[in-house]
Amino acid sequence: MAFSDKIVLITGGAGGIGRSTAHAFVREGATVVLAGRDMTTLAEAVKEVGPGKADHVVADVSDAESAARMVETVVARHGGLHIAVNNAGVLAGFGPVADIDTAAWDDVLRVNLTGVFLSMKHEIAHMRAHGGGAIVNVSSNIGAHGRLAGMAAYAASKAGVSVLTRTAALDHVADGVRVNAVSPGASDTPMSLRPGESRADRAERMRTAAPSGRVADTSEVAESILWLASDAASHVVGHDLVVDGGATA
Ligand code: NAP
């Protein structure tokens, strides 16, 4: 029970990787608060993860006031915030750069990058005033490699998350706040399905697309997040842990 008495905020907590991460933290004794924009999905996720162990807060991380309220609500209801997983993200704005819709570009950057900044801003402000904490941002292996054509908006947003993680880690290590990231490759959620692709089609594609021959199970990403957030990683600061079955090795 590595996380007994810990309060953990997970943005995008009702989605695939977020929900798996919530299950893993609860298994280790934590209380989790799942954040997202849709109350119905959040309530259903709380029921699945474990009422009494899980709570939810409706928040849009791309909105400055909403992100501030999200952290205030967690602290007001649970008396503190020890760990935050900034996992909320969207995949949109497809196409070659010359054809990317400007509004879609703005939206992807606002959720994926500004959302992580706004979340961390308020999480860290609380943590540094209350004995420290640990933050894990969910980036992507595409952020460091630009692996796929037609995904410039998403790739740029995740490159931003990875470097924001490193600089935030330097800014706040002396405050007792450890900031790290995970960079998953294709993981078993609808986000890794191409338009019109079934899970079976994706499994076939992944046989050659990744050295591991498969997508990650969301639990494999979750366990990496737990390790980075745990005391076992107490001297790990500003690290970006790639979880992609060797796709970018
Ligand atoms: P998912 O199931 O779609 O989960 C994304 C979550 O983010 C949803 O719960 C969504 O909830 C929430 N969200 C989106 N916009 C938000 C906003 N403005 N404010 C608050 N919450 C918001 O996708 P996933 O695959 O689990 O992805 C989780 C993270 O892993 C993302 O950052 C993604 O980029 C990253 N990642 C995924 C893969 C993959 O292959 N699946 C690979 C690399 C990285 P609402 O829409 O209800 O708000």
Side-chain angles (χ1 to χ4, degrees):
M1 300 293 263
F3 296 100
S4 292
D5 305 323
K6 299 292 187 202
I7 308 300
V8 182
L9 169 63
I10 305 172
T11 71
I17 290 172
R19 198 181 292 213
S20 234
T21 304
H23 276 290
F25 271 114
V26 165
R27 181 196 72 214
E28 296 298 329
T31 296
V32 295
V33 184
L34 315 181
R37 294 167 300 181
D38 182 57
M39 166 111 75
T40 309
T41 325
L42 286 169
E44 182 263 316
V46 164
K47 205 168 156 196
E48 181 194 297
V49 171
K53 288 287 192 184
D55 185 14
H56 73 264
V57 55
V58 175
D60 179 347
V61 296
S62 70
D63 178 87
E65 275 183 33
S66 185
R69 251 197 330 272
M70 169 179 78
V71 175
E72 279 166 23
T73 304
V74 173
V75 172
R77 280 197 210 145
H78 297 280
L81 174 64
H82 307 108
I83 293 163
V85 181
N86 296 314
N87 160 76
V90 291
L91 176 57
F94 298 106
V97 167
D99 301 329
I100 292 178
D101 177 70
T102 307
W105 169 275
D106 285 343
D107 193 44
V108 170
L109 270 288
R110 213 170 42 242
V111 175
N112 292 5
L113 179 55
T114 305
V116 171
F117 159 67
L118 291 171
S119 301
M120 279 206 291
K121 177 176 167 63
H122 300 289
E123 293 156 359
I124 293 172
H126 172 82
M127 288 173 179
R128 75 174 169 191
H130 296 87
I135 291 180
V136 182
N137 296 321
V138 180
S139 186
S140 165
N141 69 348
I142 202 175
H145 295 273
R147 299 178 59 242
L148 298 169
M151 292 178 65
Y154 183 77
S157 74
K158 293 300 189 178
V161 170
S162 289
V163 78
L164 172 62
T165 297
R166 293 191 188 97
T167 48
L170 295 175
D171 287 345
H172 294 290
V173 62
D175 297 324
V177 181
R178 282 190 310 110
V179 185
N180 290 288
V182 293
S183 280
S187 307
D188 188 11
T189 81
M191 196 182 276
S192 63
L193 293 170
R194 293 190 174 163
E197 191 179 48
S198 68
R199 290 179 83 222
D201 294 339
R202 184 186 59 194
E204 191 52 42
R205 172 167 60 83
M206 292 305 294
R207 260 189 262 286
T208 51
S212 66
R214 62 176 178 84
V215 292
D217 190 88
T218 54
S219 66
E220 295 175 303
V221 181
E223 295 303 332
S224 303
I225 292 171
L226 254 69
W227 180 74
L228 283 171
S230 75
D231 289 345
S234 53
H235 207 52
V236 179
V237 173
H239 187 61
D240 190 348
L241 180 55
V242 177
V243 186
D244 70 356
T248 54

